[in-house]
Amino acid sequence: MDSSLLTLTLIFIALLFIHLMYIVINKIHPEKDYATIGVRIKTWWGMFFIFCLATLFNPIVSLLSLMALTFFALKEYFSMIKTKKADRRLFLWAYLAIPVQFYWIYTEWYGMFIVFIPLYVFLFLPIPRLINKGTVGFLRSVSSTQWGLMLMVFGLSHLAYFQFATPQYGAGLVMFLVVLTQLNDVVHHLASIYFGKRKIVPTANPNLTWEGFACAFLVTAGVSYLISPYLTPFSPTFGLVSGMLISLSGFFGSLTVSVLKRDLLIGDDDKFDALKKSYLSRVDSLAYTSPVFFHMIRYFFDFM
């Protein structure tokens, strides 16, 4: 407990310092767009709170908090889709899959956890859309719903499984993952603002540049090498490799969700701008980094 309290205290001090720096820089350079960084800092505080609950109290509280996070993320995803009345029943069944998925985590039934959404939900989700609803728009409706479940529920639910798969290291691994994922996004954004030249997907997200990607990759890998001995049971070398993998998968997560949002919201720029501060913008990278990091550890280490 003493080491956990020390870790929490150090993280709190670091977050407070970063938040103060953000406020100062935002006032010094009001012409720069730092909204994305502000959103990320809010995410850090939220995840820090969940980390405290899991470390000092009970992992079930953390489980319920993350379940609520997936619900709001999925809700915002569905708000982007141009729906018909026939889709409402489909969305209801998608929401009902969330507590079931987290129940498998609570019971530590890994086999069902890993196949429930990719297999069983994929096979049976179309049924409520088919019955007495016709076939018009069937493929777009079902496939977009399944995409949302895979990203916002299946991907993010891995965050909750860490603490049940390895109670000894779970909380530290989650904090390690969240810190590096969010750091990767922030560095990418800052580097793109100040010296980004070559945009990756200018029509979907002008803040994603190749220069930003290179800086974020190097910084994330370096920080993971430094903090891995304190938050994880990894060697510095494995910590470095973990940081590189988190940076890559986080980049693909941001890229994918950016293009996905732009595709769903073509012609609705006001809604697209509003969603920049949404749950989707906070967890887009985590939807990719969480399962990738989880399965890498499970493959190489026995404690998972």
Side-chain angles (χ1 to χ4, degrees), residues 176 222-237 239-240:
F176 177 79
V223 172
S224 67
Y225 180 84
L226 295 174
I227 69 173
S228 59
Y230 302 99
L231 292 177
T232 73
F234 304 154
S235 66
T237 301
L240 176 65

Side-chain angles (χ1 to χ4, degrees), residues 176 180 224 234 237-247 293 296:
F176 177 79
L180 292 180
S224 67
F234 304 154
T237 301
F238 195 87
L240 176 65
V241 174
S242 298
M244 295 167 66
L245 190 63
I246 288 172
S247 181
F293 184 58
M296 179 188 70

Side-chain angles (χ1 to χ4, degrees), residues 125-136:
L125 185 66
I127 293 177
R129 179 61 174 79
L130 285 171
I131 299 175
N132 299 326
K133 300 299 179 181
T135 58
V136 177

Side-chain angles (χ1 to χ4, degrees), residues 216-278:
F217 182 81
L218 293 174
V219 171
T220 304
V223 172
S224 67
Y225 180 84
L226 295 174
I227 69 173
S228 59
Y230 302 99
L231 292 177
T232 73
F234 304 154
S235 66
T237 301
F238 195 87
L240 176 65
V241 174
S242 298
M244 295 167 66
L245 190 63
I246 288 172
S247 181
L248 284 172
S249 54
F251 164 72
F252 286 122
S254 293
L255 184 64
T256 301
V257 175
S258 294
V259 174
L260 186 65
K261 287 193 294 185
R262 176 56 71 185
D263 179 48
L264 292 173
L265 294 175
I266 289 176
D268 196 347
D269 292 335
D270 292 337
K271 197 170 185 180
F272 184 81
D273 291 335
L275 281 171
K276 288 180 180 179
K277 299 182 180 180
S278 67

